[in-house]
Amino acid sequence: MTIWEMLAVFAAGVGAGTINTIVGSGTLITFPVLLATGLPPVTATVSNALGLIPGSISGAIGYRKELTGQRRRILRLSAAGAVGGLCGAVLLLALPPTAFETIVPVLVGLALVLVILQPRITKAVQRRRERNGTRTDADGGPLLITGLLLASVYGGYFTAAQGIIYVALMGMLLTDTLQRLNATKNVLAAVVNTIAATFFLFAAEFDWTAVALIAVGSTLGGQLGAKIGRRLPAPALRALIVAVGTVAIVQLLLR
């Protein structure tokens, strides 16, 4: 890489770490930059996955206040995420690079619809449970576990917009604030990326310069994103998720 390419990758890492912590979809910043430096798609994907791990951890630390009291939930959801992330990593090396191109925009679009409708759906579900005398499962139950498992397969494969899908699923099936769900999302993203990247260490080729630049940049971005994201009221955070997700869909369709 030239010095200018290195600066571009570092800046992309900062941007990705910031947006991942607040919303998700940071890969849509780093991945095109890595391709522009001449890296092959698979090398860019695995290098990006490894480089973004410190950013996910940094963002989770920045949201540590919102993680209080979620230990049991996070352990259960992380177990499903780890299995899904490993499966996605295997698929990345086994399937052609274009395998997910058709379904990804559909998944992200559906997630955005769920994020928009989440307050109404949550209220409707709560009213139904009150009428039936049933209680909300604090961990979301088997349906959330299954949904996050499948979403993590995609996350291990590509990662772009996985955070939006996580928030959409949890928002439908958990009774909690959007900020606390966002904090959980950051932990899940860190787990899935770590599992996938660990597999890639033994099965794929990395560009270690890119990894280092994204790692440092995303770590700084994670702290910045936590400071910004934690101050956003729920409607503003929801609007930002929808805006970023819409941009993600457009970019994915145009690739």
Side-chain angles (χ1 to χ4, degrees):
M1 290 187 190
T2 67
I3 184 64
W4 297 112
E5 289 175 334
M6 293 173 68
L7 288 173
V9 172
F10 173 76
V14 174
T18 302
I19 200 69
N20 272 344
T21 301
I22 302 173
V23 181
S25 299
T27 290
L28 297 176
I29 299 175
T30 49
F31 188 67
V33 174
L34 293 176
L35 293 181
T37 66
L39 292 182
V42 173
T43 302
T45 299
V46 299
S47 300
N48 178 69
L50 184 58
L52 287 178
I53 292 173
S56 299
I57 296 173
S58 177
I61 292 172
Y63 264 91
R64 59 189 177 277
K65 181 179 179 181
E66 286 74 15
L67 290 172
T68 303
Q70 296 200 69
R71 183 175 181 272
R72 181 174 179 272
R73 173 192 294 172
I74 289 173
L75 287 175
R76 290 189 64 186
L77 298 183
S78 294
V83 174
L86 179 59
C87 292
V90 173
L91 289 176
L92 175 65
L93 301 184
L95 297 177
T98 57
F100 275 25
E101 285 186 0
T102 301
I103 191 63
V104 167
V106 177
L107 289 174
V108 178
L110 177 60
L112 292 183
V113 171
L114 293 178
V115 169
I116 294 171
L117 298 179
Q118 184 256 326
R120 293 184 179 182
I121 295 175
T122 299
K123 290 179 181 178
V125 171
Q126 287 176 342
R127 287 194 297 267
R128 181 177 179 181
R129 283 172 175 158
E130 289 173 359
R131 288 196 303 267
N132 297 336
T134 56
R135 299 178 60 184
T136 302
D137 191 319
D139 299 327
L143 186 58
L144 180 57
I145 294 292
T146 302
L148 284 175
L149 173 65
L150 296 175
S152 297
V153 173
Y154 162 67
Y157 184 92
F158 186 48
T159 76
Q162 72 180 116
I164 293 174
I165 299 174
Y166 288 157
V167 169
L169 288 170
M170 291 187 292
M172 295 302 100
L173 299 169
L174 295 174
T175 303
D176 214 332
T177 67
L178 190 57
Q179 289 288 5
R180 280 171 59 83
L181 298 182
N182 202 40
T184 304
K185 175 265 293 180
N186 288 330
V187 176
L188 292 175
V191 169
V192 171
N193 286 348
T194 299
I195 292 296
T198 301
F199 172 78
F200 293 144
L201 282 173
F202 298 96
E205 182 178 342
F206 289 84
D207 185 297
W208 291 104
T209 300
V211 171
L213 292 169
I214 293 175
V216 175
S218 66
T219 300
L220 297 175
Q223 290 299 301
L224 179 61
K227 290 182 179 179
I228 296 172
R230 294 178 68 243
R231 296 177 181 177
L232 292 175
L237 181 56
R238 184 170 286 107
L240 183 59
I241 291 172
V242 173
V244 172
T246 301
V247 173
I249 291 174
V250 173
Q251 186 170 339
L252 288 166
L253 290 173
L254 294 177
R255 283 184 58 213

